Amino acid sequence: MLPLMPLRCAAINVASFPSPALKQAMEAIKLSILTVFLPLFFNGGAKPIAPKHHRRHMSIIQNKKATFDYFIEETFEAGLVLEGWEVKAIRDGRVQIKESHIIVKNGEIWLLNAHIAPLNSASTHVRPINTRTRKLLLKRAQINRLIGKVEQKGYALVPLNMHYKNGRIKLDMALAKGKKLHDKRDSLKDKDWKREQERLMKVHRT
């Protein structure tokens, strides 16, 4: 009989309660019943599917040079066109993007010089090119917008990190402007000061 209780509770008419506070409380209870208990009842006890923004992202590799060399203005997430051996190598952690960069060519966005080292067990039929040019996948409206920005003086496209999203390999990239030498010096000072703050905090805790 217990599984049937949410069904009866969900049918409560909250308008029949005179107190506004009581109405709000009953609305909250009704919402929790409809969004949590009923899905569990009709889905055999399985957990509800998490919203897209709550699904897990797992980092693969970071481009730490990006924030030192550039001011990041806007970020985008792109898919990658990869070969089978590349996917296996990335899952094994055999990828570097610190020397990579992104260009626009023939109306598309491409990743250059990302280094992916093949597994020793790769098929002999595969002839891997470690730093081959790889196409990035974005929506056409995003591509057109990025092309328009890159054509303006001072803008560049910069790879930030590679990560998993729902089991697929993705690349975060940035629309950015290059830093001047004095900007880089300021960045180093800020980084040194943050390290010193962390050191002082550790000393204070002990």
Side-chain angles (χ1 to χ4, degrees):
M1 291 300 293
L2 286 177
L4 295 178
M5 289 176 65
L7 295 173
R8 291 201 298 269
C9 293
I12 292 173
N13 182 8
V14 295
S16 63
F17 294 93
S19 168
L22 189 55
K23 284 182 182 179
Q24 290 180 357
M26 291 307 299
E27 282 286 4
I29 293 170
K30 183 177 177 180
L31 181 62
S32 66
I33 289 169
L34 292 174
T35 58
V36 178
F37 294 108
L38 287 182
L40 287 172
F41 175 71
F42 288 112
N43 201 30
K47 292 183 179 179
I49 297 173
K52 287 185 178 179
H53 59 281
H54 288 160
R55 293 180 190 175
R56 188 177 179 185
H57 290 201
M58 187 184 298
S59 178
I60 299 172
I61 189 74
Q62 299 280 336
N63 180 10
K64 295 181 179 179
K65 288 178 60 180
T67 52
F68 178 73
D69 290 336
Y70 294 91
F71 291 113
I72 307 301
E73 295 207 354
E74 194 171 354
T75 60
F76 299 83
E77 183 181 69
L80 297 99
V81 178
L82 298 170
E83 296 178 358
W85 70 268
E86 292 173 319
V87 173
K88 292 177 183 177
I90 290 171
R91 292 190 186 282
D92 197 52
R94 302 166 71 90
V95 56
Q96 285 292 339
I97 60 171
K98 64 181 180 180
E99 301 299 331
S100 65
H101 57 279
I102 296 171
I103 65 166
V104 175
K105 184 178 180 182
N106 298 330
E108 299 291 349
I109 312 292
W110 304 85
L111 177 67
L112 276 67
N113 289 338
H115 189 277
I116 302 175
L119 296 172
N120 295 330
S121 58
S123 172
T124 55
H125 299 290
V126 174
R127 299 196 177 189
I129 302 175
N130 295 11
T131 57
R132 76 178 184 88
T133 300
R134 299 169 176 97
K135 186 177 180 180
L136 298 179
L137 304 174
L138 296 109
K139 293 179 180 178
R140 176 48 57 185
Q142 291 177 317
I143 293 174
N144 292 340
R145 184 165 178 274
L146 289 171
I147 291 173
K149 285 287 188 179
V150 170
E151 288 175 350
Q152 298 178 25
K153 187 176 180 181
Y155 279 102
L157 298 176
V158 182
L160 298 177
N161 68 74
M162 200 174 282
H163 61 272
Y164 296 113
K165 181 179 180 181
N166 301 329
R168 295 182 180 274
I169 297 169
K170 301 286 185 178
L171 181 84
D172 276 347
M173 54 184 285
L175 184 65
K177 282 190 173 181
K179 290 183 179 180
K180 306 292 185 184
L181 184 58
H182 63 85
D183 294 321
K184 293 182 181 181
R185 289 194 188 118
D186 290 340
S187 294
L188 283 173
K189 288 177 184 177
D190 290 340
K191 192 176 288 186
D192 290 341
W193 171 234
K194 285 179 181 177
R195 286 200 193 104
E196 182 63 15
Q197 283 179 312
E198 291 173 359
R199 188 188 68 80
L200 291 172
M201 289 294 288
K202 288 178 181 178
V203 171
H204 179 71
R205 288 195 193 102
T206 55

